[in-house]
Amino acid sequence: MRFVEQLPYAIEVEDHVTIPMADGVRLSARIWRPASSGTEPVPAVVETIPYRKNDLTSTRDAIHHPYIAGHGYACVRVDLRGTGESEGVLLDEYLEQEQRDAEEVLAWVAAQPWCDGNTGMMGISWGAFAALQTAARRPESLKAIVIASFTDNRYADDMHYLGGAMLSDNLAEAGTMFAYATCPPDPEVVGERWRDMWRERLEAARPWVLEWLRHPHRDAYWQHASLSEDYGQLQTPVLASSGWADGYSNAVTRLLAGVDVPRKGLIGPWSHKLPHLGEPGPAIGYLQEVVKWWDHWLKGVDNGVMDGPMLRTWMQESVPPSTSYEERPGRWVAEPSWPSPHVKEVVHPLRGATIVTADEEEGLPRGRTRTVQSPLSVGQFAGKWASYNAPPDLPYDQREEDGGSLVFETEPLTERMEILGSPSVDLEVSASAPVAQVTARISDVAPDGRATRVTYGVLNLTHRESDEHPEPLEPGHRYRARVTLNGVAQAFPPGHRIRLSLSTSYWPLVWPAPEPVLLTVHEDGAALTLPVRPTEEPDGMPQASFGEPEGCRPPPVTRLTEPEQAWNVSRSLVDYHSALDIVKDRGRQRYEENGIEVGLRACERYASVADDFASLSGRAAWTMTFSRPGWDVRVETSTVLTSNADTFTVDATLDGYEDGRRVFSRTWNETVPRNLA
């Protein structure tokens, strides 16, 4: 990244500004704005997230907010209620209270003498959710949004339930927020009342996974703040982006197709990162794109920002399997609209173990069946639902996974094939149990046999007709079902094969069904549909269309201890115990601007024994420390999830320490019915 030292506007920074809410709670904000804005008001850009502006996001914030401010905007970074130095408590994600707070923040910002009354919202992940959800409520001052790594569908396309099957990230994200929502504010900012504020957060805390488990179907809990319930709610221009390695790759194209507002989409090869920090690379000059967007929609500059294609995306070249890439080879391609007039759905029947063309299907035997009952080991090389590229968390070589799967494969390709969009698999199946899952994976198989997963999809077969009203299977009865896979842009070179793999479990990425299932796939009507972008289509954009990544130089951070990253799969052939252990330890760091020393360590463990579905367990444990001379606090959380055929059980602990002495402790032991999960 190129650090920009000179910007069009000199800026000034206010580190802690309180914004009053109607109920008396005061939120804490950091504001960067042009020094001249006191006499020459400017538009404002707001970001609201729970990840602590004073320390944990301060480096990231300092790269892009001063950059945008230096181009003539007031940037307002707000800690959500109950986080950082903001008062109150944070009880769950995306509650009505959060959206009301955001509306009040926008109204307060628009009324400030340094703001000209026009506002935008931006963010990645939670911040992008907040921007989209707030925009759907149409606050008066909000004129445009910029969002990255988001979703419009909280149930089916977040880290909770995929195809009606529960993701292990349901536990991992709950563990993350169990820690973040119980951290103390900074005494140097809020004064002596920091202990009372911290105590209030600790007393209100509860493992969020309990609430998420109580809603295994798409009900009003998930419908709230999901734009997909009514795309007409959005009347605000939107610049939307994500990455193919991210868990949110589907939302960009779905939003482009669903809303009727000025909109642009951008999908790179990235994991869960902003595009100017994109990993795997190439990262792009995203902030230049963002400033251009704000200049048009907040300042009325006629700069051609809406010219050109609706969607720009990275067409990925074939690569060997790896859990991490520095760069993904490929090229930018563009589509004038979405759905694209260039992409054609091509149906490939599944016959025997072969993926054939419609022409090749003639004369092949019909009426055959194949069965699969996958071991719990299938999925240990699946990687994370949403890659963060640290530790290496992308899927590894799929050959071992395919040993426990039902496999269909093309002959070696004679010509290059490119796909862009969401493949799907149509199946006619019967199952041996009332609750069953099927995971479908597409891999790029090189001539030497190495298999790189390209995309995947999951379906809880009780959700074959509806996420709102799932129905159990009648064992032995035949059902039609469609598995929709995640969207992707991928090229398959000549000589490679395309492989489709079907499994009845994908643990630990997906929490398995209550019991082992024998799935019978009836060949008639089984087909793989690929969204083919003909190779003769022009790319539609010049390859030098993005500038070099740039931003402002962040303030110094001193590393006090080394970080640790681990992703270990273990398997004992004595007692058949298997486990995936993940460590994400940032090490201890000192933020030199304010002297805070922070440590963050997260450990996840997903374990099982042989194919005993009652032995499944997941654990997410966090330790977060904050200190400076005269102040030393620590939060430790642990959430353990287990299950049997009928229930989930959550065992959780929360401990708070000051000066090494435990000052708060609470435990939870609760069960939740599975209800077809």
Side-chain angles (χ1 to χ4, degrees):
M1 170 177 285
R2 184 173 71 90
F3 291 124
V4 179
E5 306 296 344
Q6 297 294 325
L7 294 164
Y9 290 80
I11 66 170
E12 57 185 36
V13 184
E14 297 174 89
D15 286 328
H16 175 61
V17 177
T18 58
I19 303 176
M21 299 291 101
D23 62 357
V25 165
R26 302 181 71 85
L27 305 187
S28 178
R30 174 172 288 156
I31 301 176
W32 300 259
R33 58 185 176 88
S36 59
S37 60
T39 56
E40 300 173 5
V42 295
V45 176
V46 174
E47 181 183 23
T48 63
I49 52 176
Y51 304 126
R52 300 181 61 90
K53 61 176 173 53
N54 222 30
D55 37 61
L56 294 179
T57 68
S58 60
T59 297
R60 187 214 68 169
D61 293 347
I63 292 173
H64 62 258
H65 283 309
Y67 181 93
I68 295 169
H71 284 85
Y73 297 89
C75 285
V76 184
R77 161 68 174 86
V78 182
D79 279 337
L80 290 185
R81 175 185 293 249
T83 66
E85 281 62 60
S86 290
E87 298 172 351
V89 294
L90 183 64
L91 299 175
D92 199 350
E93 58 182 16
Y94 318 130
L95 296 176
E96 172 72 17
Q97 180 67 63
E98 180 187 334
Q99 285 115 45
R100 289 201 305 268
D101 285 351
E103 289 182 286
E104 290 188 45
V105 166
L106 288 174
W108 181 89
V109 168
Q112 297 309 297
W114 39 259
C115 180
D116 68 4
N118 296 300
T119 66
M121 289 188 75
M122 69 176 292
I124 179 173
S125 197
W126 194 309
F129 277 65
L132 185 63
Q133 293 164 2
T134 305
R137 300 164 75 94
R138 305 182 191 178
E140 183 179 357
S141 72
L142 188 63
K143 300 299 190 296
I145 59 175
V146 174
I147 52 178
S149 300
F150 67 97
T151 191
D152 57 341
N153 185 331
R154 292 184 53 219
Y155 176 78
D157 201 34
D158 195 5
M159 53 185 64
H160 303 294
Y161 294 91
L162 180 62
M166 190 181 78
L167 294 161
S168 64
D169 271 87
N170 210 45
L171 170 64
E173 175 64 7
T176 300
M177 295 314 303
F178 199 18
Y180 270 89
T182 52
C183 290
D186 184 353
E188 280 202 359
V189 176
V190 302
E192 282 303 313
R193 57 195 188 100
W194 75 270
R195 284 190 186 86
D196 293 335
M197 293 173 65
W198 186 29
R199 186 79 187 189
E200 183 183 17
R201 295 175 187 183
L202 293 168
E203 293 282 0
R206 187 171 177 79
W208 294 3
V209 70
L210 285 165
E211 190 67 16
W212 299 345
L213 289 170
R214 292 190 179 102
H215 298 276
H217 310 154
R218 185 184 172 89
D219 58 13
Y221 176 82
W222 303 110
Q223 291 166 348
H224 169 73
S226 287
L227 183 68
S228 58
E229 294 296 310
D230 179 7
Y231 285 112
Q233 292 176 328
L234 186 68
Q235 297 294 309
T236 306
V238 54
L239 173 60
S241 64
S242 190
W244 294 128
D246 197 357
Y248 296 105
S249 61
N250 302 307
V252 173
T253 51
R254 195 168 53 241
L255 190 70
L256 296 180
V259 302
D260 186 21
V261 297
R263 59 204 184 276
K264 291 282 186 176
L266 174 64
I267 310 176
W270 315 301
S271 60
H272 198 67
K273 306 277 187 179
L274 284 162
H276 59 295
L277 306 172
E279 296 174 336
I284 64 167
Y286 175 67
L287 294 182
Q288 297 94 302
E289 300 286 316
V290 171
V291 167
K292 190 176 180 180
W293 187 261
W294 295 138
D295 283 349
H296 181 74
W297 293 110
L298 299 188
K299 292 183 178 179
V301 178
D302 185 8
N303 57 12
V305 74
M306 293 307 298
D307 296 344
M310 179 182 289
L311 174 67
R312 294 171 289 178
T313 186
W314 188 252
M315 178 63 68
Q316 302 177 125
E317 292 293 332
S318 175
V319 290
S322 176
T323 57
S324 179
Y325 302 95
E326 287 188 14
E327 297 270 334
R328 281 298 304 260
R331 73 188 197 282
W332 290 103
V333 300
E335 300 299 337
S337 58
W338 196 267
S340 169
H342 302 145
V343 177
K344 309 297 181 186
E345 291 195 340
V346 179
V347 178
H348 293 269
L350 307 178
R351 293 292 176 263
T354 307
I355 301 171
V356 301
T357 66
D359 292 339
E360 293 170 334
E361 184 183 18
E362 292 297 324
L364 293 176
R366 302 183 66 84
R368 295 179 297 185
T369 62
R370 297 177 69 194
T371 60
V372 61
Q373 182 170 310
S374 301
L376 283 176
S377 58
V378 174
Q380 287 190 320
F381 300 147
K384 266 286 191 184
W385 171 80
S387 169
Y388 290 82
N389 213 45
D393 55 9
L394 293 171
Y396 192 50
D397 195 323
Q398 297 292 286
R399 283 178 287 185
E400 188 169 337
E401 309 277 64
D402 290 339
S405 307
L406 197 60
V407 173
F408 305 85
E409 201 168 75
T410 66
E411 294 297 323
L413 299 177
T414 58
E415 297 179 340
R416 177 184 176 91
M417 179 187 290
E418 295 181 357
I419 62 173
L420 173 56
S422 296
S424 62
V425 181
D426 287 292
L427 298 171
E428 187 167 321
V429 297
S430 52
S432 62
V435 180
Q437 297 173 359
V438 59
T439 296
R441 311 187 313 275
I442 292 177
S443 296
D444 169 20
V445 183
D448 64 4
R450 289 184 292 179
T452 303
R453 196 189 75 192
V454 169
T455 183
Y456 75 101
V458 182
L459 178 63
N460 177 342
L461 287 165
T462 68
H463 289 243
R464 63 196 177 276
E465 299 290 343
S466 169
D467 285 331
E468 290 83 1
H469 306 289
E471 296 181 352
L473 303 167
E474 179 185 335
H477 185 79
R478 290 168 65 163
Y479 297 95
R480 298 286 301 170
R482 170 170 288 185
V483 184
T484 301
L485 284 68
N486 291 327
V488 72
Q490 180 68 42
F492 299 89
H496 286 222
R497 299 172 185 260
I498 298 174
R499 177 179 294 168
L500 171 67
S501 308
L502 304 178
S503 61
T504 56
S505 64
Y506 207 39
W507 165 251
L509 192 147
V510 178
W511 202 275
E515 59 183 305
V517 173
L518 180 69
L519 190 71
T520 300
V521 177
H522 302 265
E523 190 174 275
D524 291 347
L528 167 66
T529 299
L530 295 175
V532 176
R533 187 182 194 272
T535 55
E536 62 270 18
E537 284 291 340
D539 292 346
M541 61 184 291
Q543 290 307 296
S545 58
F546 293 112
E548 177 187 0
E550 62 182 34
C552 288
R553 189 183 302 276
V557 176
T558 301
R559 185 170 298 286
L560 304 175
T561 64
E562 289 302 308
E564 179 186 355
Q565 299 175 1
W567 188 286
N568 297 319
V569 174
S570 60
R571 189 180 304 166
S572 169
L573 297 184
V574 176
D575 60 8
Y576 305 109
H577 184 97
S578 297
L580 168 63
D581 287 286
I582 303 169
V583 176
K584 296 176 287 186
D585 189 331
R586 290 192 187 184
R588 193 171 179 87
Q589 303 179 101
R590 182 170 58 245
Y591 295 87
E592 298 297 351
E593 272 198 326
N594 54 25
I596 293 181
E597 295 184 6
V598 177
L600 184 157
R601 182 178 177 87
C603 299
E604 297 174 39
R605 181 177 177 85
Y606 303 95
S608 58
V609 178
D611 288 328
D612 179 4
F613 279 52
S615 68
L616 301 170
S617 68
R619 180 175 185 258
W622 282 70
T623 300
M624 301 181 75
T625 62
F626 303 87
S627 66
R628 63 160 59 89
W631 181 56
D632 184 8
V633 294
R634 183 170 85 250
V635 171
E636 294 182 357
T637 67
S638 172
T639 310
V640 177
L641 178 63
T642 57
S643 65
N644 58 30
D646 302 313
T647 60
F648 290 109
T649 298
V650 174
D651 291 286
T653 61
L654 167 63
D655 292 289
Y657 295 83
E658 183 181 355
D659 296 329
R661 181 176 62 88
R662 188 163 59 185
V663 296
F664 183 90
S665 184
R666 179 166 293 175
T667 63
W668 291 261
N669 174 260
E670 299 187 29
T671 60
V672 180
R674 292 194 66 149
N675 198 5
L676 301 182

